[in-house]
Structures are given as C-alpha cells and as structure tokens.
Amino acid sequence: MTWDFSTEPEFEAKLEWMRKFVREEVYPLEVLEASERDFMQAIRHLQQQVKEQKLWATHLPPELGGQGYGQVKLGLMHEIEGASMWAPIVFGNQAPDSGNSEVLAHFGSEAQKRQWLHPLLDGRLRSAFSMTEPDNAGSDPTLLSTTAVLKGDEWVINGHKWFTSNGMIADFLIAMVVTDPDAGPYERASMIIVPGDAAGLKKVRNIPTMAGEHERFGYGHAEVLYENVRVPKDNIIGKRGQGFLIAQARLGPGRIHHCMRWLGQARRAFDMLCERSLQREAFGKKLASHETVQNWIADSAAEMAAARLMTLHAAWVIDTQGAAAARKEISLIKFFGAKVLHDVIDRAIQVHGSLGYSADLPLEEMYRHARAARMYDGPDEVHRVSVARQILAGYQAPDGIWPREHIPTRREAAQRKFAALLEAAVTDA
C-alpha cells in the first residue's frame, strides 16, 4: 500500500493562512502585558477570525462545529499551532479541552453533550483531565486508587490526584476513577464528570514545576482532593469499566497532535538557531562558518525531517486503519519526537550563549516545557518497551544453538542445495 500524506490545494491554502495568522497575530500574545479580561478579549477576537475561516475545533465532526479532518490534516495544522503556546487556544484545539471534547463527542450521552460539550466548544467552559495520582506510578495506570462507589443515584468519589492540567480553573473535570475494584486490571476504571464547584472537591494548588509555579491566568497542573464528592449516577461517560478503552481512544490521536506541535516548536527554535549563526561572529568569522555549528544545523534538520515523516506516517495509519493499528507508530514518535524537540532547542540555546539562557528570548521557556515531553502521555521508557514488544512479536528464535545467519551452517546448507548442480559441472568439465 502506498503511503500518501498529500492534501488538496484548497487545504494547503488554509495552512498558508494559518502560518501567516499565527506569525502575525498570535506571536504578539506571548509578550502582551494585559489583564486577564483584556487578554481574553483579544483571544476571542482572534478566535472569531478562525471560525470565519472554518478552522475552529477541526478535530471534531462537522455536526459538532468541526471539520471532520483526518489525522494527517490535523497533524499539519498542529505543526503550525505548536510554534506558540497560545495558538491551540485560538484555534479551539488546546489540551486538555480538545481531548475532553473528543471523549464527550464519541462516548458522552446527549444530555452530557448539551450540558458540557457544547459550552466547552463555545469557549464558555474550561475543563480538566484528572488521572495522575501522587501515590501511584503514572506509567502504570492499572494502579489507580481513587474510587467511585455507587450509592443510590450518586457516585461518591474519594482520592488524591495531581498534575490535573487546568484543574484550578476548570468548570468541570473528567476524573479517571476505580468503579470496579475486583474486575480485571483494564476493566476496573471509569470516567466520571465532576463539576468544578462540587462539594468535597478541593483544588489545592498549582504544582510548582520547571515551567513555573503559576502559569498565566491560572493555567497549570493542579493538585486536587476528592473527599466524598457526590455526583449524579448519569455523570459516568460511556459504560462502567470503559475508562481504559476511552483513555486509549483519547490518547492515541492526542499523541499525534503533541508530536506535530513539538515539530512546530522545534522549527521555531531551529529558525532562531540559523538566524543567530548568520548574525553572530566569533574568532574572526560568523558562527555559521564554524564546523560545529554546521553540524548542529545539519543534525537538527535531519532529525526534524525524520520525526515529521514518522509522525505523518502514524497519522496516515490512523486515518486508513484506525488508532489500534498505529500503536507501534504512535509509541515511536512519542519518544523520538520528544528527544528531537529537546535537542534542537538545546542547540539553539547554545548558539545564542548567555542570551539564549536568559528570559530575553523564548528559548529558555521552550526548553523547560520540552523536558516535560518525555513524561506526559506516557514516559519514554514505557513507549520504548511497547515498541520493542510489538517488534519482537514478529520474530521467533532460530532452531538449534546457532544464529540464522551463522556462516558455517549456511555454507553446509548451500553445498547441499547446489550439490547436484556442482557435481554436473564437474562431470561436464
């Protein structure tokens, strides 16, 4: 089957509009000093322009206000959006809202869509995804300990979560909780909607991280306590015990989006690297003339190209065969793309020297955020294990004690295979 990542000219025109729009209209938001009210007014103005271009919330089907684009097209769009932290919000594709909207769109009831999904898509609500726990390894979600017990017509939730993205400002949270503790490891959990003002829900703090203690306007990664939080029975998403199935449906395409955004960010750092190498002189010549810098430029270009092709291929597999068929490809791009992002930014900082290390350039912030890429949506090590296991499943050990390519063994087999032919050749001679 031929790989085909091509898109029609009409879509390329949309991508070109996005590139210019993000560069000219979204980049300035990064350095704008304004109150939250004024800042969000500027955001809404830009969001309206995006809606007029029919590029709003493109990850969703048309009946929900999206465009129904496949993962290849979405990936190309996210590559452009990834260059700025504010672009996903402007385009209605920001995490965790985008993933939560997909969960509600595909698994939510009609009542849940009316109450939570539609206001979320309109920008009237903000959401959080509450899964990671401080007491259990995030790399093994079967260890989740937050529980939801059905009592009458209500779920009673108890547990401790952290790194609940946007938890402090969320109007509602989608919590991954254990509803069936005696079921199999992947049938224990369910997803339940928790209103942000529910009694017993305690939004403790935004956790200080390398990216900063408090991100702008309350965005960040929150620590949350659930202390006898009661929500209606109908707040469960999908069927009881479907939590892991829904999570995989949410995370697979989401990793494509992450990796393409990383490429957009890496490209921005790469552009800065190249420009500075042509601008700055050291030891009597431009930095661009030094072999080490040339190696950095070449390595960065090759790594970004490889990551881009791998990611588009994974997106194509999802589009043509479904997310389940792309498990290996998704894991490959997750750990490879995170390393490329880190390394390109690191080289850009090095070329800029002390200026790159300072907050006078966006590189230091990009570098801090890039470090987290190796952990969220599954740490690199887990994805490497997944890839290795899937690859090894296609192999089997050779019979006997020798490797399949053992030359003496192959020579004996070749002699037997051609014995008659060789004997005839001797006779004819």
Side-chain angles (χ1 to χ4, degrees):
M1 184 181 294
T2 303
W3 299 354
D4 185 4
F5 311 146
S6 62
T7 57
E8 60 274 10
E10 294 80 6
F11 184 76
E12 178 54 41
K14 290 181 180 293
L15 295 179
E16 189 55 40
W17 182 89
M18 287 182 63
R19 293 185 188 101
K20 182 179 180 182
F21 181 77
V22 170
R23 185 172 58 251
E24 296 181 359
E25 305 295 336
V26 179
Y27 279 14
L29 292 175
E30 299 169 356
V31 292
L32 179 64
E33 294 183 356
S35 66
E36 180 175 8
R37 179 179 175 276
D38 292 343
F39 190 88
M40 295 312 297
Q41 181 61 33
I43 289 279
R44 283 190 287 273
H45 172 70
L46 297 180
Q47 288 175 334
Q48 185 57 41
Q49 295 183 56
V50 169
K51 291 176 182 178
E52 291 170 359
Q53 292 289 326
K54 300 189 184 304
L55 292 171
W56 174 258
T58 48
H59 58 291
L60 291 174
E63 61 268 23
L64 293 173
Q67 298 299 315
Y69 288 150
Q71 294 303 318
V72 169
K73 287 186 175 180
L74 287 175
L76 294 170
M77 294 179 64
H78 281 288
E79 182 179 23
I80 298 170
E81 295 175 28
S84 174
M85 64 175 292
W86 294 110
I89 295 177
V90 170
F91 283 85
N93 287 323
Q94 74 276 13
D97 290 344
S98 59
N100 289 343
S101 65
E102 287 185 288
V103 165
L104 290 169
H106 294 295
F107 297 95
S109 66
E110 290 305 314
Q112 290 170 350
K113 292 176 183 178
R114 286 194 300 271
Q115 184 174 2
W116 306 108
L117 176 60
H118 298 311
L120 181 65
L121 294 177
D122 290 341
R124 292 184 282 119
L125 294 181
R126 290 180 288 194
S127 68
F129 187 65
S130 193
M131 179 173 174
T132 306
E133 299 175 348
D135 298 333
N136 302 299
S139 58
D140 185 358
T142 64
L143 299 177
L144 289 175
S145 59
T146 299
T147 60
V149 178
L150 189 59
K151 294 186 177 180
D153 291 332
E154 293 182 316
W155 292 104
V156 181
I157 304 173
N158 283 281
H160 188 186
K161 300 284 191 180
W162 72 344
F163 285 89
T164 294
S165 298
N166 295 350
M168 296 297 289
I169 59 174
D171 297 292
F172 71 95
L173 302 86
I174 294 181
M176 185 86 153
V177 294
V178 176
T179 52
D180 299 88
D182 298 326
Y186 295 101
E187 287 80 41
R188 298 171 67 238
S190 303
M191 289 190 186
I192 295 178
I193 299 170
V194 180
D197 59 357
L201 177 67
K202 295 185 178 179
K203 301 176 179 180
V204 180
R205 58 170 181 152
N206 262 343
I207 300 164
T209 68
M210 289 176 67
E213 180 174 358
H214 298 291
E215 300 197 35
R216 199 170 183 183
F217 307 139
Y219 293 98
H221 308 288
E223 181 177 5
V224 181
L225 289 173
Y226 297 82
E227 297 180 344
N228 292 317
V229 176
R230 291 178 174 269
V231 300
K233 178 176 66 174
D234 292 340
N235 278 28
I236 192 168
I237 299 175
K239 296 179 180 179
R240 183 168 176 164
Q242 275 193 322
F244 284 100
L245 182 150
I246 297 173
Q248 287 305 310
R250 179 187 192 275
L251 290 173
R255 288 171 179 142
I256 299 285
H257 305 167
H258 275 311
C259 291
M260 290 303 285
R261 286 177 185 169
W262 296 343
L263 284 167
Q265 189 91 144
R267 168 59 64 176
R268 189 173 176 184
F270 180 75
D271 291 343
M272 295 174 68
L273 185 164
C274 293
E275 290 171 0
R276 187 61 168 176
S277 71
L278 293 169
Q279 180 185 50
R280 194 73 160 175
E281 289 189 5
F283 303 104
K285 57 183 180 180
K286 298 291 187 182
L287 294 180
S289 298
H290 291 273
E291 185 177 358
T292 294
V293 176
Q294 292 172 348
N295 287 340
W296 289 344
I297 292 171
D299 289 348
S300 297
E303 291 162 7
M304 288 189 300
R308 190 172 193 268
L309 288 172
M310 289 169 63
T311 307
L312 288 174
H313 177 245
W316 174 82
V317 173
I318 293 178
D319 284 346
T320 57
Q321 302 173 49
R327 286 182 57 218
K328 182 181 70 177
E329 287 77 9
I330 290 171
S331 288
L332 278 170
I333 63 171
K334 174 60 175 64
F335 72 78
F336 186 77
K339 185 178 187 303
V340 171
L341 173 67
H342 171 275
D343 290 352
V344 173
I345 296 172
D346 185 74
R347 293 166 188 146
I349 290 174
Q350 196 73 3
V351 163
H352 284 82
S354 55
L355 177 62
Y357 186 70
S358 77
D360 281 359
L361 288 179
L363 288 169
E364 62 86 24
E365 182 181 14
M366 292 161 64
Y367 189 82
R368 287 185 279 115
H369 283 280
R371 183 59 184 85
R374 292 180 53 200
M375 292 183 288
Y376 58 67
D377 278 3
D380 285 1
E381 295 76 14
V382 170
H383 286 287
R384 283 187 166 93
V385 167
S386 176
V387 168
R389 285 176 175 171
Q390 291 178 72
I391 290 173
L392 289 172
Y395 289 84
Q396 61 183 19
D399 294 332
I401 63 171
W402 300 115
R404 186 165 52 87
E405 295 287 353
H406 184 239
I407 288 178
T409 303
R410 291 175 55 209
R411 183 177 293 119
E412 291 179 8
Q415 292 295 131
R416 291 193 299 270
K417 180 180 180 67
F418 296 105
L421 185 64
L422 293 174
E423 183 177 347
V426 171
T427 302
D428 292 344

